Amino acid sequence: MISKRITGVVFGIVISLITALLFMLIGQAWAGGITSLWGEGWLYLSVVIPFVITFVVLGEYFQNRDGLSNKKLWLTSLISAFFVTLYSGTIGAIFGETIVRGGMETINIGGTLIWGTIYAFVLLPLTTPFARLIIGVFYKLIQE
C-alpha cells in the first residue's frame, strides 16, 4: 500500500497546480479576458509548498481516523484554507517572485506581508468551501 505521506505529496502537488490554474484563469476572466493560458510562474511556486505540507499532515491525521464528523471536516477545512492562503499570499508569493524574477529588488515585501494576511482572512468564505471539497475528496481517497 502506498504511504499516506506519498499520497499527500502527490495529491498536494496535483491540487496546487489545478488550484493555481483555476485561480489564474478566473482572475484573468474577471479582469477583462484571458491573456495567458498558464499565467505567472510565481503563482504555481507560491502554492505548491503549503498544499504539500497540508496534505501530508492531513494524510497522517486521517490515517487512523474513521468516520470523522462533518463538523470536524469543516473545522479542518477552515484551518487548512487559512494556512494555505496565508502562506501562499505572503511567504509563498515572495519566494515565488524571487525565483521567477531572479531577485527581491522589485518585491514590495511589507505590502505583500500585510495584504497577504488581510486576504487570508477576507477570502475565508470562499477558500473554506473549496478546501472542504478537496479535503473531502482526499479523505475518501485515504480511507480506501
Side-chain angles (χ1 to χ4, degrees):
M1 180 158 198
I2 297 175
S3 164
K4 303 301 180 196
R5 289 182 185 152
I6 294 172
T7 304
V9 168
V10 172
F11 192 84
I13 290 170
V14 170
I15 292 299
S16 73
L17 296 176
I18 292 169
T19 301
L21 180 66
L22 288 173
F23 180 77
M24 185 271 316
L25 289 174
I26 291 169
Q28 284 187 23
W30 284 351
I34 296 173
T35 59
S36 170
L37 184 61
W38 299 110
E40 292 284 335
W42 68 266
L43 180 60
Y44 296 96
L45 294 172
S46 72
V47 296
V48 72
I49 292 172
F51 269 96
V52 168
I53 291 171
T54 298
F55 285 106
V56 167
V57 169
L58 289 177
E60 291 294 320
Y61 177 69
F62 292 157
Q63 184 172 4
N64 298 321
R65 296 199 174 41
D66 290 327
L68 281 176
S69 69
N70 192 36
K71 181 180 176 181
K72 246 199 198 189
L73 286 172
W74 275 103
L75 181 61
T76 303
S77 300
L78 175 78
I79 294 166
S80 299
F82 180 74
F83 166 73
V84 169
T85 308
L86 181 64
Y87 182 93
S88 63
T90 56
I91 298 167
I94 293 168
F95 173 71
E97 281 281 347
T98 301
I99 291 174
V100 170
R101 307 279 184 243
M104 297 178 71
E105 295 82 28
T106 61
I107 302 171
N108 178 358
I109 294 175
T112 301
L113 293 173
I114 291 169
W115 283 103
T117 304
I118 292 169
Y119 289 146
F121 283 105
V122 170
L123 292 175
L124 275 174
L126 297 174
T127 56
T128 302
F130 180 70
R132 176 62 179 89
L133 174 70
I134 60 177
I135 288 172
V137 170
F138 184 66
Y139 181 65
K140 288 187 187 302
L141 180 70
I142 289 291
Q143 295 303 308
E144 291 179 357

